Structures are given as C-alpha cells and as structure tokens.
Amino acid sequence: SSKDFYLYTCIWRKEAYEIMKITIQPELISSLIVTVILSIFFVYAGKKIREADPTKRPTGVVLVVETAIKMVYDYMGTIMPKKYAKNYYPYFSMLFAWLLVSNLFGLTGFDAPTTNYSITLSLTLITWVLIQINAIKYQGVGSYIKGTLIPPTNLFGLISPLISISMRIFCNLLSGTFIMALVYQATSFLSYKLIPFNFLGPVVAPLLHCYFDVFSGCVQALVFVTLSSIAFTCSSLNAKGVKITPSSIPRCLLLILIKLFVIGAIYLVL
C-alpha cells in the first residue's frame, strides 16, 4: 500500500542519513585554526621583511623571524647536508613551526591538533613519502627494491618509521591531556569538600601545564622533526654510486650521537 511504501521510504532515508552523516572532529577545527593563524603571520612577516631596509639593523617581527629561521637552519645543517638546504630545509622548518604551535594550542582551551592520530599520521606519511622518493633518487629503482625486499624482514624497517614517529608525538601529547584532565578532576573533588569552587586547580595546574604542554610540546616537535630529518638523510647514505669515505665518518658519528640524544630526550619526557 501507499502507506507502507511511504513508511519504507522514510526508514530508508533515515538509514541513508545515518550512513552519510559526517562528524567533524574538534582537533580538525583546531588544525585549521592553527594553519590560518600561521598563514596570516607569515604573510604579515613576509610583507615586513620586503619593506625592511637591508642596511639597517632588523627590529620587531623581522628580527624575530630572521633569528628563528637562522636557528632552525643552523640546527638542520647539523643533521642534513647542505645540498638539501634549498628544497627540504623550508619543509622541515615549516613542519617544526606548525607542530610547535599545534602542541601549545591546547593551552588556549581548544583540543591540540596533535592529540588526533589521523593528523600526526598524515604528517608522518607526507615525510615518509619524501624519504622514499629521496631513497629511490640516490639508490636507484633496482637497488631500492632489492634492499627493501631482500631479506623480506626489511619491509618492517620500511614501515616502522611511519608508525613509530607518528605514534610517539600522538601518545605523548594525548597522555599529557589525560593526566591534566585527571588533575582537574582530583582538585575539583578536593575543593568541593570545602567550597563549591575548584580553587585548587589554578594553584596546582600551572606548573603541570608548563611540563605537559610547554616543555613536552616543544620537545616532541623537535623530536618529530629530528627523527624525520635523520631518516631522510640516512636514506641516501651508502647509496648506489655513493661510498662512505673516511671524511664522511664524522657525519655518521654525529647522526648516531643525535639519535642517542633524541632517545634520551624521549625517555626524559616519558
């Protein structure tokens, strides 16, 4: 009957709506806000730099941006060869700036974008693809495939950076969020025993925020970029037609020391 057909149509539309319904996660909104803020800042800073007099000492925003760029480029120069300066230093510098602001964005009351694994995995996937492209470029297609498939266990080494780097920053930031939520719950429970106001929260929380949000956020952004750049650099070491000579041994030792430092920093944060 027409009544049954109408009822069936309504049910079908409801089920289709439930299937097609899209939920926008708050971390995605936060990531868009961070991107817009950084875009506006860099456009403004670029305008100021173009208008600045090169014969005079930089001041204000120009001084801050030039100092930050020099610090990041000097740090990247200790990890990656100078041949990558033009194409890849800007990428890793922008990645560090975005991660740093995103990790600290939780202090504003919004959800930090890096507490969503889909975001950290996406960033790691982009870097991982660049690493594989660089490896193919310096090793050649044949050597790359041979080194990846022989022995087959090398596939685990190929995929492991994609998982470990993305999970490291995600788990550290998310665990800090959970701990702070528990702290606020505990201070609220104790405060309400005396007065109906969480007066202990503002006393206890700031010091913990300094560690879990500021210190941990800065360290995790640095660790993410450092591990990614080391993996990128190592993808071209001992490549086809490239021999490791005695002059390159100090660079290899430096990479090993940087790895040890990063591992120590990770254990310190954990």
Side-chain angles (χ1 to χ4, degrees), residues 2 27 31-32 42 47 70 87 120 131 170-172 177 181-182 192 197 207-208 214 269:
S2 59
E27 294 86 0
S31 68
L32 294 176
F42 286 129
K47 181 180 178 181
K70 185 178 185 304
N87 294 327
T120 58
I131 292 172
F170 164 71
C171 292
N172 277 280
T177 302
L182 293 174
Y192 273 70
F197 175 72
L207 183 60
L208 296 176
V214 180
V269 173

Side-chain angles (χ1 to χ4, degrees), residues 58-167:
T59 58
V61 177
V62 177
L63 177 61
V64 173
V65 172
E66 288 185 357
T67 303
I69 292 175
K70 185 178 185 304
M71 290 176 60
V72 174
Y73 269 56
D74 289 344
Y75 179 73
M76 296 302 301
T78 63
I79 303 174
M80 304 179 70
K82 295 296 183 182
K83 61 182 179 181
Y84 296 134
K86 180 180 179 180
N87 294 327
Y88 297 108
Y89 280 21
Y91 167 73
F92 285 105
S93 301
M94 187 63 219
L95 182 62
F96 175 75
W98 195 90
L99 286 172
L100 182 62
V101 176
S102 296
N103 292 345
L104 299 177
F105 198 67
L107 293 172
T108 62
F110 291 90
D111 292 326
T114 44
T115 57
N116 189 314
Y117 185 61
S118 62
I119 293 178
T120 58
L121 180 61
S122 300
L123 294 175
T124 310
L125 182 61
I126 296 172
T127 306
W128 184 81
V129 170
L130 289 177
I131 292 172
Q132 306 314 312
I133 293 174
N134 187 65
I136 294 173
K137 176 182 178 181
Y138 283 93
Q139 298 178 17
V141 178
S143 298
Y144 174 80
I145 296 176
K146 180 180 179 181
T148 303
L149 300 179
I150 302 176
T153 53
N154 284 351
L155 289 173
F156 295 103
L158 180 68
I159 300 174
S160 59
L162 180 63
I163 301 174
S164 62
I165 296 178
S166 60
M167 287 294 292

Side-chain angles (χ1 to χ4, degrees), residues 234-267:
C234 291
S235 65
S236 61
L237 291 179
N238 204 18
K240 182 179 179 181
V242 180
K243 296 182 178 180
I244 297 180
T245 60
S247 60
S248 64
I249 291 178
R251 181 178 296 277
C252 296
L253 292 176
L254 178 61
L255 291 175
I256 294 173
L257 290 176
I258 292 174
K259 284 186 177 181
L260 293 175
F261 171 78
V262 170
I263 293 172
I266 294 170
Y267 279 114

Side-chain angles (χ1 to χ4, degrees), residues 181-218:
L182 293 174
V183 168
Y184 280 114
Q185 288 288 337
T187 55
S188 177
F189 175 78
L190 295 175
S191 298
Y192 273 70
K193 292 292 184 180
L194 299 177
I195 58 176
F197 175 72
N198 185 10
F199 66 92
L200 288 178
V203 177
V204 178
L207 183 60
L208 296 176
H209 276 300
C210 289
Y211 178 81
F212 289 111
D213 290 313
V214 180
F215 176 75
S216 180
C218 295

Side-chain angles (χ1 to χ4, degrees), residues 25-72:
Q25 299 174 336
E27 294 86 0
L28 178 60
I29 302 298
S30 299
S31 68
L32 294 176
I33 295 174
V34 170
T35 303
V36 170
I37 292 174
L38 287 176
S39 300
I40 293 174
F41 173 76
F42 286 129
V43 169
Y44 173 75
K47 181 180 178 181
K48 286 292 184 180
I49 291 175
R50 288 192 298 270
E51 296 175 351
D53 187 354
T55 61
K56 296 181 180 180
R57 179 179 297 180
T59 58
V61 177
V62 177
L63 177 61
V64 173
V65 172
E66 288 185 357
T67 303
I69 292 175
K70 185 178 185 304
M71 290 176 60
V72 174

